[in-house]
Amino acid sequence: MGKPHQQRKQEIIQSTLALAAELGVKKVTTQAIADRIGVAQATIFRHFKTRDAIFAEAIAWLADQLFLVLSNCFQSQQDADQRLQQLVHRQLQFISEHKGLPRLLFSDRLHLESPALKQAVQTIMQHYTREVAKLIEEGVDSGHFRQDLDAMQSAGFIAALIQGLVMRWSIFNFDFDLEQEAKPLWDFIDSALR
């Protein structure tokens, strides 16, 4: 007897992300996923109609997990600057544990070949930027950050800095400790916001 539906779907998603990290998105085929799990390719199609449906579910899972990890940064009673510093650290820690994330985010599949996947990521990025902007606004209101900051613009720059660092990490085949970059990155961000 096979595994329960949700358990098998999760296994497919995790295998997809692991393969993306190891091989790149282009080489993540439904056959490669099936081989990794040790099932027939037909089993993959019983749970997902297309490869893009797997990628979409993987993106949604990653977003849910990331926002779960970051939720305390958005909702805690700590000062905004402390929460933003924690957010940078936790986000880099999360990404370092999910190497398939940058491979998927920076792939041609996402950027050029699948408008639906691109739209899903844009929606997640917009939500993230709004949440970071609220945090920056709190910091401005409490006097922790400069009064002349544009919160949305600053949040966009923070997202771009993190994405740039993650892209460099991915391009260099994950050969440096991403989590070790949290402090220097935060020091740079902090000096820009104060």
Side-chain angles (χ1 to χ4, degrees), residues 101-159:
L101 173 63
R103 296 286 201 223
L104 187 54
L105 286 182
F106 304 128
S107 70
D108 281 349
R109 186 83 205 133
L110 182 80
H111 288 260
L112 301 172
E113 299 167 6
S114 177
L117 290 177
K118 187 175 189 175
Q119 179 59 50
V121 171
Q122 287 172 346
T123 300
I124 294 163
M125 289 174 69
Q126 289 165 347
H127 175 65
Y128 170 86
T129 305
R130 282 192 304 271
E131 292 299 316
V132 172
K134 288 179 196 172
L135 194 48
I136 292 169
E137 286 172 359
E138 285 182 43
V140 169
D141 292 344
S142 65
H144 287 96
F145 300 143
R146 293 187 349 239
Q147 295 295 307
D148 64 334
L149 287 175
D150 178 309
M152 277 301 287
Q153 185 179 55
S154 298
F157 288 150
I158 290 169

Side-chain angles (χ1 to χ4, degrees), residues 35-100:
D35 292 345
R36 173 106 179 191
I37 297 171
V39 298
Q41 187 179 26
T43 301
I44 304 299
F45 288 117
R46 274 198 287 278
H47 299 281
F48 295 96
K49 291 183 180 192
T50 66
R51 186 173 75 129
D52 274 357
I54 301 170
F55 290 144
E57 191 78 22
I59 289 168
W61 181 84
L62 285 165
D64 288 346
Q65 296 305 304
L66 178 62
F67 281 109
L68 188 62
V69 165
L70 300 180
S71 64
N72 194 46
C73 300
F74 297 129
Q75 299 166 0
S76 142
Q77 296 303 310
Q78 283 183 301
D79 290 338
D81 57 337
Q82 293 173 331
R83 289 165 36 219
L84 190 56
Q85 182 178 10
Q86 289 173 8
L87 179 138
V88 169
H89 177 76
R90 288 179 185 177
Q91 186 170 354
L92 293 180
Q93 181 179 32
F94 177 84
I95 294 168
S96 73
E97 295 168 0
H98 299 92
K99 292 180 173 117

